[in-house]
Amino acid sequence: MAFYSPSSSLGGYNNQKSPERAPPIDLTLLHNASTVLEEQFAKDSQAIPELGEILPNGQASSSYSIFPDDVRVPFQKRKLVGIPEALFQYYSNTSVNSHMGLIPEIERVWISIDHKLFLWDYNDSQEISSFVDQPYVITHVGLVKPKKGLFIEEISHLLVICTPVSVLLIALSFSTVSGTSTRFRKEVKLYATDLTISTEVEMTSVAGTVDGRIFMCGSQDGSLYELHYQENEGWFGKRIQLVNHSVGGMSSLLPRFTSTSAEDRIISVIADSERECLYTLTEKNVVSLYKPTSEKSVQHIQTLSNLYKAAQDRCPGSPAITPQTFQIVSLHPISLLESRSGVQLLAITTNGVRLYFSPGLSYGGSMQTLGMRTLQLSHVRLPPSNLIHPDEQENLHRPAPTIPFGAVQGQPPRQSRPYIVSAIDSSCYVDGLTVAAQPGDVDTVDYLLCLSPDLTRIGSLDQLNLPQPAPQPTYSMYSSQNVSSRPPMTEYATLLSIPGRTWAMAPVPQTPIAADVAGINVLNELGAQVSEHPRQFMILTNVGVTFLVKRRSLDYLKAVIEELQSEGNVQPIIEFRDSFGRNQTCAMLLALASGNIFLEGSDPASNTISLGNSDLAAVAKQAFYDFGEKPIWSERTVYGKSEHQGTAIFSGRREGLALYFSRLVRPIWKIKLVVAGPTNLQLAVQEVRLITIQKNLYALKDLLDKNPHLFHSSPGDSAASRAPAMEQEAWKAEQASIAQLLSLLTRTIEALSFVLLLNDYHFADIMTKCDVEIQKLVSSLTFEDLITTQNGLAVSRALVNVIIDQQIGQQISVWSVDSGDIPFSYFSQVDTISEVLQNRCGSFCSTDDVMLYKAKENIRKAVETSSVAEKQNWLSESLRLYTKGARILDFEKLREICGDFQLLKYAKGAIDLPLVCARVFDPDNIGMDYWRSSANSDGRPRSAFERRMQCYELILDSLSVFEQQGNEPSTVQNAHSAEEHETVKDYAYQLSFSSDDEMFHSTLYDWLISRHLADDLLEIRPPFLETHLKREPLSAEKYQLLWQFYVKDGQPLRAAEVLLALAESTEFQLQLDNRLEYLTLAVGNAKSHPVSAGGRHETAIAFLTDLEEKLEVAQVQLEMYSTLLPHVNDASEVGVKINALASRLYTMSELYQDYAIPFDLPILKLICLHVAEHRDEVMLRQVWNQIFDQVVEEESDPVAQADQLSATLEKLGRRFYPSIFAFPLQLVTDLLIRFSLERKEVLQSGWAPRVLARAGIPYVEIWDALHDMYESHIPPFNAQANVQAISSDIATLFTDWVEEVKRPTSSISRGEFPVSRIDLAVDQYMAELHADRIETKSKYEAVKRQLRREW
């Protein structure tokens, strides 16, 4: 596997101990640390300006930093690779035509000897390939991209071979193969194309475009040519042809070339691939700009002439610009990464003057349609005038006193002869670095002018003690034009000597990682030096290839530390700190102390941590600690508040850590994790880059783990413990920030391990097995998201699951079972991958994750085994592991597991695991509290409540499944299976009811009730049922079940209480007769309460009495409602009032006041008075008068009146007597006698007492009432006729009374009959009887005879 295992090189990281339970990922902490990195990204992006900002438009500059010592020399000769011996001798000793050049894209030098072409691999100094299949002397070779679709896919380039009489195209492919050392090399293969053309003009300066067009210039005529080729010949064009764009079809656009070609010739053609244009340079310093348009045509954009005059105007009086020395030798396009909107082109003259061209403010003429802006000379950079001669530079050591870094040198000390370049004939430029060659003082040596930006002068690095530069001459065309706030360009400059005569030079191809993907200016080597190797240049001479390497600030720092080690001089490192600033210095010291891969001296191909000099690392650590200083608390007083607030200004140690960390991860931090490949998703970043970044990150972590004191105050610093409160606050803030960064560092290392592991397990295959949603999520994630967000956690867990499933699938596919035994090695691979995940990226695969994987394996074992005992053992172990890892189970995974348990009929797992997860998902019981409070708000409590409910629903689903399994039709064959299903179902319910989770019980009860299993629930009476039936929201169904629960539980009094509450409730829509039924049941249950139950006898009696009274009132209400119901449609308000009577129970007072009185119903009034036992004689008289009056009003016939009144009184008497509150006998008798007296003509004597007797009034009570009237003499009973009429009624009463007593089935016993009293009374009545009352007298006499006969 390609995964980087730090233990192999550093030790201690990949130990084999069982890992501890990984702490939960603190995303907030990681996000805070990521924000710190973002701040550092922003600082790096702004620290170094773009090229256009430090080259003010319309000005000239000449500021240089020149040092005599080799510590600060900007370039260093790395190695010389000599030309292979055979070629070198042949080239030197034979009189032949020979040319050579560099082709860095394929890592080759081309050497032509007469008609033979040799391609020399300068990385493998003896590897040479040749091409000899053409007869002409080869004068020039160029490498270009082929046109798309004309060649096979393997062809990546074309060699353009120029001879005096022809141009030939050779196809080329290369592949990466192992070299002689540990590095890889490119193997080149050549293919003939038959694409050749004769020419009368020798071609040179070949330039190719990205789309495969080939341009060049003629050596003799100086014209611009295009070599056009196509797949087949056609009517309008040959397969290959040369098009002269200086004449012919372009003559109308370029008249100057047709007339002046003899006077001025193009000598160089340069392609600008980023801007898709061409530049040409002529012998007379004329620069032209072209835009390739349609096939075989180009558009002339602009010609820049009189450049000498323009340059002189910008720096008048400069000795470097004279007609004799002003000759442009080369043009160099400037990358958009270096100057996105500013400088576009650089021209270099023979004496080192550099001319910078920028787009003008507006489009010129017809060029606007082509999207090209014309160029103008924007800045002139004069050459250094005080260079140290290479001979003296190489012999010098550090002078004393030392010269501060960045101090611009007017006259370098100990210099006997300043050197001025004057004959540059070759140059190259890339990323702000310039290298130019001119002949040396002797024929066997060339001098290289090496220039690079002085970042201490042009950057904003927060330096506090930066030495001020010496005054420099400035030149400007308009003194007011320099409005830039940035300092002007200052460069390091040096002159180096190399052996041989220079033929060509080029930068070694390198992808600027940090700039390309992270948005850092390519001039900012501070941000890139820890993420990529330094820039290198190749200088081809007749001796060989000299490699020149750029020395970066990190290399300067390493050199001054080495000098400190060897000479004990601390001044240089202090000067370095003052020049680059505290924070930048601390960041670089961390890189040195941790052995960054990209340090000077490391092999660019090996990418291994530099561990060579432990003493240097120790000095770097100490310097990091000393230079880091202390954090400071910046306090501010908030108006209106007594306390003070403030922020910490972090130390250089914290800032250096944040800066170095950010620079290591910046190349990938904002990059998408995956990109779309040819067939599916694939990693967006190359594996080798991820490994390199991880190595550097781990080296940093290892350094910090082994040296925790780097971020604490010195043990000997006694002031630290006595520091004031504000300083302690600063230390606290710094320690918190550092802890966050270290957590993010660890997480990032593990994230890279995780991504590399995915790649090892075929990332593309893993992605195809993911859900579509996960694939979309992965496609949207950056590396930062993977490390610091919840989506990153979700994606990583899903991918780990796929890896484990993939391993399981592979193992099962090849597993075979012998004799039914499961081999121990069955799960070894899963254990292995789990261990790998934990050891390499523990935060992405915790101990809990591993437990879940093993639990899944146990389920698989249970499926495969045929032994019931083994199956139970596997399932029990699976449940145990799932329970331990429950906190990382998501709901979908839990659902899947419960499904497995259901299929395996494992009731314990299907019931217990969701119950465990419900508790784990709601560890603080906020969901339970939300349920108890019956809240209805959104937020975290509701979310916890819903997660609990999801778990409970899984249990209910399992119970349903087990019931369905038990309800399957049984046959003889599956009778045993049916019994097993029934056992599983019963056990599932047993486990459910034995749970102590009250919220689950409530959910279970609701579910059972909804399935009409309430009766079964009441028979079981599980715990929490009573509480469930009493909790909100209440319902009539719950109340009905609750009173039945109490009845079955032997608590009739509590049942009665519930029934009363149900009857009186206003929340439920109950019929009035139902309420009456509940009251009736309540009375019955209250009467069933045993005397000794709980000592509540007296209370129970009082409660029963109250119940009976309420029952009476309710009965009245029902009667009243029945009476009024026929009138419900009389009027709307009447209907509303009558319907309201059925909505709840009313008190007697409410019934009387709201219904009996408003509806004026005398009988209802009597009922109310009777039940309420309210005695009001006035009211009673009114009511009874109303009853008699209504009868009179309703009937006009006296007999009919008597019949109706008789029926009414009989009913009321039987209902109310002996109630004095509703049926006052004396009053009723009085009214009845009066009624009969008024109708004595039609009513027989005795009618009134007989009505009362039929109403159930005892004879004796009727007699007493009549006798009182007989004796009262109150009108109308003072009239003798009325008294005699009463006597006749009494005689009839006595007669009926005696007959009733004599009747064998009479309810009146003979002993109760008052014989003596009646006998005396008869004598009295007969004595006072008028003589004309013959019938009455005969009745009295008959009564006396009966008395004597019977008694």
Side-chain angles (χ1 to χ4, degrees):
M1 292 185 180
F3 177 79
Y4 164 56
S5 176
S7 63
S8 61
S9 56
L10 294 173
Y13 182 64
N14 194 14
N15 58 65
Q16 297 300 315
K17 295 180 180 179
S18 299
E20 299 293 331
R21 178 182 293 269
I25 304 300
D26 190 338
L27 293 178
T28 302
L29 181 148
L30 295 175
H31 175 74
N32 292 341
S34 180
T35 302
V36 174
L37 298 190
E38 296 279 358
E39 294 170 356
Q40 302 304 322
F41 294 160
K43 289 180 182 178
D44 258 350
S45 297
Q46 300 165 7
I48 307 299
E50 288 188 357
L51 193 60
E53 298 179 50
I54 52 178
L55 296 175
N57 192 17
Q59 294 190 10
S61 61
S62 60
S63 179
Y64 291 93
S65 301
I66 301 174
F67 302 100
D69 60 325
D70 60 354
V71 172
R72 286 165 286 188
V73 171
F75 288 86
Q76 178 180 347
K77 291 177 287 185
R78 180 167 170 262
K79 65 178 179 179
L80 170 64
V81 180
I83 295 175
E85 190 65 25
L87 280 179
F88 185 67
Q89 291 179 354
Y90 192 62
Y91 163 72
S92 302
N93 300 331
T94 307
S95 297
V96 294
N97 290 310
S98 180
H99 302 271
M100 66 175 67
L102 285 166
I103 314 178
E105 295 87 347
I106 60 172
E107 299 178 358
R108 296 293 189 275
V109 170
W110 68 267
I111 301 174
S112 68
I113 301 176
D114 289 335
H115 68 283
K116 300 175 182 177
L117 176 64
F118 299 95
L119 297 179
W120 165 44
D121 182 353
Y122 47 76
N123 291 317
D124 190 347
S125 58
Q126 302 304 313
E127 178 68 27
I128 300 173
S129 55
S130 61
F131 173 73
V132 296
D133 295 339
Q134 65 89 35
Y136 307 111
V137 173
I138 297 174
T139 57
H140 182 76
V141 175
L143 187 75
V144 297
K145 285 281 188 181
K147 291 182 179 179
K148 291 184 179 180
L150 266 64
F151 302 96
I152 60 176
E153 291 185 2
E154 286 78 6
I155 302 302
S156 60
H157 293 84
L158 296 177
L159 279 178
V160 183
I161 300 175
C162 302
T163 73
V165 294
S166 66
V167 179
L168 171 67
L169 296 184
I170 300 295
L172 180 148
S173 71
F174 64 84
S175 57
T176 302
V177 297
S178 299
T180 55
S181 61
T182 57
R183 62 168 294 132
F184 294 94
R185 67 178 184 85
K186 293 181 178 179
E187 182 179 59
V188 172
K189 294 181 181 180
L190 303 179
Y191 302 87
T193 65
D194 295 331
L195 292 173
T196 181
I197 186 172
S198 299
T199 175
E200 297 178 356
V201 179
E202 179 183 332
M203 296 296 160
T204 187
S205 189
V206 174
T209 64
V210 175
D211 58 358
R213 297 178 69 174
I214 304 171
F215 296 90
M216 56 194 72
C217 63
S219 295
Q220 289 82 16
D221 62 0
S223 296
L224 175 64
Y225 288 89
E226 179 179 0
L227 181 64
H228 175 76
Y229 63 98
Q230 59 191 25
E231 188 173 6
N232 299 304
E233 291 193 13
W235 287 99
F236 301 102
K238 299 179 180 179
R239 190 178 179 208
I240 182 168
Q241 62 184 119
L242 272 173
V243 180
N244 188 339
H245 290 302
S246 298
V247 296
M250 296 297 295
S251 59
S252 62
L253 294 175
L254 304 173
R256 64 177 63 84
F257 287 107
T258 58
S259 60
T260 62
S261 60
E263 301 173 6
D264 195 10
R265 300 182 308 110
I266 295 175
I267 58 174
S268 178
V269 181
I270 304 296
D272 188 338
S273 60
E274 289 183 338
R275 300 176 182 88
E276 299 181 348
C277 63
L278 298 172
Y279 310 103
T280 63
L281 173 66
T282 71
E283 289 179 326
K284 295 185 178 180
N285 302 320
V286 174
V287 176
S288 295
L289 173 62
Y290 296 89
K291 177 74 173 179
T293 54
S294 59
E295 189 173 289
K296 294 191 289 186
S297 67
V298 296
Q299 177 70 58
H300 174 253
I301 303 296
Q302 180 187 15
T303 294
L304 294 163
S305 57
N306 297 321
L307 293 179
Y308 165 72
K309 179 64 168 60
Q312 191 178 46
D313 290 343
R314 280 160 176 73
C315 43
S318 171
I321 300 180
T322 64
Q324 294 78 19
T325 60
F326 190 83
Q327 179 62 51
I328 298 176
V329 294
S330 58
L331 300 177
H332 303 283
I334 294 178
S335 167
L336 292 173
L337 288 175
E338 186 177 349
S339 183
R340 288 178 172 81
S341 60
V343 185
Q344 179 172 331
L345 182 66
L346 167 65
I348 301 178
T349 69
T350 55
N351 64 341
V353 175
R354 284 170 287 168
L355 309 177
Y356 293 89
F357 298 89
S358 302
L361 298 178
S362 62
Y363 293 93
S366 62
M367 300 311 112
Q368 185 170 358
T369 59
L370 296 175
M372 295 290 296
R373 293 167 63 182
T374 56
L375 298 179
Q376 62 182 13
L377 178 62
S378 60
H379 191 86
V380 177
R381 181 94 175 124
L382 299 175
S385 59
N386 53 351
L387 288 167
I388 302 173
H389 193 279
D391 296 341
E392 297 185 8
Q393 176 82 49
E394 293 174 356
N395 293 327
L396 286 175
H397 299 283
R398 173 175 291 279
T402 59
I403 301 167
F405 278 85
V408 181
Q409 300 302 301
Q411 291 293 329
R414 297 181 61 184
Q415 182 176 347
S416 61
R417 46 173 180 163
Y419 192 90
I420 298 176
V421 295
S422 58
I424 291 175
D425 55 11
S426 181
S427 67
C428 65
Y429 175 90
V430 64
D431 297 344
L433 308 177
T434 304
V435 177
Q438 77 165 37
D441 295 343
V442 295
D443 293 340
T444 58
V445 173
D446 269 7
Y447 292 158
L448 298 179
L449 173 63
C450 304
L451 306 169
S452 70
D454 183 352
L455 302 186
T456 66
R457 291 296 167 190
I458 66 174
S460 301
L461 307 180
D462 299 326
Q463 307 102 314
L464 298 179
N465 302 309
L466 182 64
Q468 295 301 314
Q472 295 291 316
T474 59
Y475 307 90
S476 63
M477 189 173 180
Y478 304 104
S479 59
S480 62
Q481 283 189 352
N482 186 15
V483 295
S484 174
S485 60
R486 293 283 193 175
M489 170 67 92
T490 300
E491 292 176 292
Y492 292 120
T494 192
L495 206 61
L496 302 177
S497 64
I498 59 171
R501 187 69 190 91
T502 301
W503 278 82
M505 61 174 58
V508 175
Q510 176 177 322
T511 302
I513 297 174
D516 188 25
V517 290
I520 302 179
N521 185 350
V522 293
L523 298 181
N524 185 5
E525 72 175 21
L526 294 172
Q529 63 185 345
V530 296
S531 298
E532 60 190 35
H533 289 287
R535 270 288 181 186
Q536 295 188 76
F537 293 85
M538 299 178 292
I539 295 88
L540 174 64
T541 68
N542 55 0
V543 174
V545 178
T546 297
F547 284 86
L548 199 66
V549 63
K550 170 69 176 66
R551 298 187 72 241
R552 307 151 303 174
S553 52
L554 191 61
D555 305 319
Y556 300 161
L557 180 58
K558 181 182 177 185
V560 298
I561 291 179
E562 288 172 345
E563 182 172 335
L564 173 62
Q565 289 178 285
S566 61
E567 301 179 12
N569 187 2
V570 299
Q571 188 62 29
I573 194 170
I574 295 175
E575 294 168 358
F576 185 96
R577 188 270 315 273
D578 293 341
S579 295
F580 285 93
R582 181 195 69 178
N583 297 344
Q584 298 287 345
T585 302
C586 285
M588 287 185 273
L589 286 168
L590 270 183
L592 289 174
S594 61
N596 185 275
I597 285 175
F598 301 102
L599 289 178
E600 179 185 40
S602 63
D603 183 1
S606 65
N607 281 359
T608 55
I609 295 295
S610 175
L611 298 175
N613 192 337
S614 58
D615 292 338
L616 184 144
V619 175
K621 283 189 292 186
Q622 187 61 45
F624 171 78
Y625 185 87
D626 294 338
F627 285 166
E629 301 175 334
K630 298 179 180 179
I632 301 172
W633 187 257
S634 175
E635 185 175 279
R636 64 180 186 275
T637 303
V638 180
Y639 180 75
K641 293 185 178 181
S642 58
E643 71 272 10
H644 298 296
Q645 298 180 0
T647 56
I649 300 175
F650 296 115
S651 71
R653 286 174 277 178
R654 185 271 190 187
E655 293 293 335
L657 171 61
L659 189 56
Y660 181 50
F661 185 9
S662 71
R663 287 170 174 171
L664 291 180
V665 299
R666 184 164 191 162
I668 62 169
W669 199 247
K670 296 293 183 180
I671 296 296
K672 287 291 180 65
L673 191 63
V674 298
V675 293
T679 57
N680 44 36
L681 296 176
Q682 61 186 28
L683 288 181
V685 182
Q686 292 180 349
E687 184 181 83
V688 64
R689 181 182 294 187
L690 296 179
I691 292 175
T692 300
I693 293 171
Q694 190 195 39
K695 286 180 180 179
N696 280 326
L697 289 173
Y698 182 77
L700 173 62
K701 180 180 182 298
D702 188 61
L703 171 71
L704 301 180
D705 288 345
K706 294 177 179 177
N707 300 274
H709 66 278
L710 291 177
F711 295 101
H712 296 85
S713 58
S714 172
D717 186 3
S718 59
S721 58
R722 303 192 304 272
M726 288 188 296
E727 186 174 332
Q728 292 180 7
E729 288 298 320
W731 277 107
K732 289 180 182 178
E734 170 145 319
Q735 291 301 315
S737 180
I738 290 170
Q740 292 176 349
L741 288 171
L742 293 179
S743 295
L744 182 60
L745 175 61
T746 301
R747 173 78 173 165
T748 305
I749 292 171
E750 294 188 356
L752 293 176
S753 296
F754 180 66
V755 173
L756 290 168
L757 189 72
L758 291 176
N759 207 40
D760 287 340
Y761 282 90
H762 306 292
F763 181 76
D765 295 340
I766 293 173
M767 288 306 301
T768 59
K769 294 181 175 64
C770 291
D771 296 338
V772 175
E773 290 302 318
I774 292 295
Q775 291 185 21
K776 291 180 180 178
L777 203 55
V778 172
S779 301
S780 67
L781 286 185
T782 61
F783 278 85
E784 177 190 18
D785 296 334
L786 175 67
I787 295 167
T788 65
T789 68
Q790 187 64 46
N791 282 344
L793 286 178
V795 163
S796 61
R797 186 156 292 151
L799 293 175
V800 168
N801 286 336
V802 172
I803 292 177
I804 296 295
D805 290 341
Q806 181 175 282
Q807 296 304 305
I808 295 171
Q810 291 175 359
Q811 209 161 351
I812 291 173
S813 65
V814 298
W815 171 52
S816 62
V817 180
D818 297 327
S819 303
D821 294 327
I822 301 175
F824 176 77
S825 61
Y826 175 70
F827 298 100
S828 60
Q829 190 170 352
V830 174
D831 291 340
T832 300
I833 184 61
S834 300
E835 185 176 355
V836 168
L837 284 165
Q838 284 185 276
N839 288 336
R840 295 180 177 179
C841 38
S843 63
F844 289 82
C845 180
S846 65
T847 306
D848 291 333
D849 290 317
V850 174
M851 282 192 293
L852 296 187
Y853 303 142
K854 292 182 177 179
K856 187 171 184 177
E857 298 312 311
N858 286 332
I859 288 184
R860 171 65 66 178
K861 292 179 182 181
V863 171
E864 298 295 336
T865 185
S866 58
S867 168
V868 176
E870 284 186 0
K871 176 181 177 181
Q872 288 301 314
N873 289 338
W874 292 134
L875 290 173
S876 297
E877 179 63 12
S878 173
L879 176 60
R880 185 185 70 81
L881 294 173
Y882 276 134
T883 301
K884 291 182 66 177
R887 68 186 181 90
I888 64 166
L889 276 178
D890 58 53
F891 178 71
E892 290 303 320
K893 187 69 176 177
L894 178 60
R895 185 200 299 276
E896 178 186 336
I897 296 167
C898 288
D900 292 338
F901 285 149
Q902 291 170 6
L903 291 174
L904 293 169
K905 304 180 183 64
Y906 185 50
K908 185 171 179 60
I911 305 302
D912 284 356
L913 182 59
L915 286 173
V916 170
C917 289
R919 290 195 301 271
V920 172
F921 293 168
D922 184 23
D924 300 324
N925 285 327
I926 58 174
M928 179 81 78
D929 295 339
Y930 178 90
W931 169 75
R932 285 199 178 103
S933 65
S934 300
N936 194 28
S937 58
D938 292 329
R940 183 165 169 258
R942 181 178 180 85
S943 177
F945 163 77
E946 290 175 347
R947 293 197 74 185
R948 271 185 174 267
M949 289 302 298
Q950 286 178 325
C951 295
Y952 300 153
E953 287 167 2
L954 290 179
I955 300 175
L956 302 182
D957 178 67
S958 295
L959 292 174
S960 296
V961 170
F962 293 145
E963 282 193 3
Q964 292 170 4
Q965 292 173 349
N967 293 335
E968 293 175 355
S970 60
T971 63
V972 177
Q973 288 79 9
N974 65 2
H976 177 73
S977 177
E979 182 179 349
E980 179 188 359
H981 289 319
E982 189 68 22
T983 302
V984 171
K985 182 192 76 171
D986 293 343
Y987 186 46
Y989 275 107
Q990 178 186 339
L991 290 169
S992 299
F993 285 126
S994 63
S995 167
D996 61 354
D997 187 333
E998 180 183 353
M999 182 176 168
F1000 165 66
H1001 273 270
S1002 183
T1003 306
L1004 175 63
Y1005 301 156
D1006 281 336
W1007 179 73
L1008 290 171
I1009 292 169
S1010 69
R1011 300 174 72 238
H1012 311 293
L1013 296 174
D1015 292 340
D1016 296 336
L1017 197 59
L1018 292 173
E1019 290 297 330
I1020 300 173
R1021 296 194 300 282
F1024 304 113
L1025 178 57
E1026 178 183 359
T1027 305
H1028 167 73
L1029 295 175
K1030 291 166 67 175
R1031 75 176 304 275
E1032 299 287 345
L1034 297 173
S1035 66
E1037 291 77 14
K1038 281 187 177 180
Y1039 272 124
Q1040 290 174 12
L1041 291 175
L1042 183 59
W1043 78 261
Q1044 293 177 63
F1045 170 84
Y1046 284 136
V1047 168
K1048 291 183 179 293
D1049 201 45
Q1051 303 183 66
L1053 192 61
R1054 302 195 71 174
E1057 292 171 348
V1058 175
L1059 283 163
L1060 174 61
L1062 182 59
E1064 293 182 332
S1065 66
T1066 58
E1067 296 91 348
F1068 315 128
Q1069 298 295 324
L1070 297 175
Q1071 297 296 323
L1072 187 57
D1073 52 353
N1074 290 335
R1075 296 179 187 272
L1076 191 63
E1077 178 188 356
Y1078 296 145
L1079 280 174
T1080 305
L1081 289 170
V1083 170
N1085 278 285
K1087 290 180 178 179
S1088 301
H1089 178 67
V1091 175
S1092 61
R1096 297 181 59 192
H1097 185 60
E1098 293 79 7
T1099 305
I1101 293 175
F1103 178 63
L1104 175 60
T1105 303
D1106 183 58
L1107 274 178
E1108 290 173 333
E1109 291 175 354
K1110 289 181 177 180
L1111 177 59
E1112 281 189 304
V1113 175
Q1115 290 169 338
V1116 171
Q1117 180 176 339
L1118 180 60
E1119 182 176 353
M1120 192 175 289
Y1121 176 69
S1122 300
T1123 303
L1124 295 176
L1125 189 59
H1127 303 281
V1128 73
N1129 296 321
D1130 289 357
S1132 59
E1133 60 274 13
V1134 172
V1136 171
K1137 197 170 185 67
I1138 294 173
N1139 287 329
L1141 199 58
S1143 64
R1144 65 179 178 88
L1145 293 180
Y1146 285 72
T1147 64
M1148 184 55 69
S1149 177
E1150 289 174 327
L1151 291 174
Y1152 187 78
Q1153 296 293 335
D1154 297 343
Y1155 289 92
I1157 292 178
F1159 285 96
D1160 198 23
L1161 299 174
I1163 295 177
L1164 295 182
K1165 294 178 183 177
L1166 288 179
I1167 295 172
C1168 293
L1169 293 171
H1170 168 67
V1171 174
E1173 296 183 349
H1174 177 69
R1175 188 167 185 176
D1176 187 337
E1177 294 184 358
V1178 175
M1179 184 182 298
L1180 262 178
R1181 182 170 295 276
Q1182 291 174 352
V1183 172
W1184 279 104
N1185 283 335
Q1186 184 179 4
I1187 293 172
F1188 278 80
D1189 292 342
Q1190 282 182 353
V1191 170
V1192 174
E1193 292 172 0
E1194 291 174 1
E1195 299 290 345
S1196 58
D1197 179 47
V1199 176
Q1201 291 175 349
D1203 292 341
Q1204 183 175 345
L1205 183 60
S1206 173
T1208 301
L1209 287 180
E1210 288 175 14
K1211 182 170 64 175
L1212 295 177
R1214 292 186 180 279
R1215 178 168 186 178
F1216 297 126
Y1217 183 83
S1219 170
I1220 61 173
F1221 309 106
F1223 200 91
L1225 180 60
Q1226 194 64 43
L1227 173 61
V1228 174
T1229 305
D1230 181 86
L1231 291 175
L1232 190 62
I1233 294 299
R1234 289 173 187 267
F1235 178 87
S1236 64
L1237 289 177
E1238 292 173 358
R1239 295 161 183 80
K1240 57 187 175 181
E1241 292 82 6
V1242 296
L1243 298 178
Q1244 296 179 357
S1245 62
W1247 174 81
R1250 283 178 173 169
V1251 169
L1252 293 174
R1254 287 196 299 270
I1257 312 300
Y1259 286 101
V1260 66
E1261 299 293 336
I1262 300 172
W1263 175 35
D1264 289 343
L1266 291 175
H1267 183 74
D1268 288 343
M1269 285 186 285
Y1270 180 84
E1271 297 287 351
S1272 67
H1273 303 292
I1274 298 173
F1277 306 118
N1278 57 350
Q1280 192 60 36
N1282 292 336
V1283 172
Q1284 293 301 312
I1286 293 174
S1287 179
S1288 297
D1289 288 338
I1290 293 174
T1292 303
L1293 174 69
F1294 283 168
T1295 301
D1296 293 343
W1297 193 356
V1298 170
E1299 291 299 325
E1300 176 63 25
V1301 172
K1302 288 168 58 181
R1303 192 165 54 84
T1305 60
S1306 174
S1307 61
I1308 304 172
S1309 65
R1310 295 174 69 88
E1312 294 175 357
F1313 187 66
V1315 178
S1316 300
R1317 184 184 166 198
I1318 293 176
D1319 185 60
L1320 292 174
V1322 168
D1323 292 339
Q1324 178 188 350
Y1325 296 145
M1326 289 180 65
E1328 296 173 357
L1329 187 67
H1330 282 188
D1332 58 351
R1333 292 283 178 176
I1334 299 171
E1335 182 180 356
T1336 302
K1337 182 179 179 181
S1338 64
K1339 289 182 180 180
Y1340 282 135
E1341 290 173 347
V1343 167
K1344 285 185 72 68
R1345 287 193 298 270
Q1346 291 290 341
L1347 292 176
R1348 288 188 178 89
R1349 183 184 305 126
E1350 298 294 335
W1351 286 277

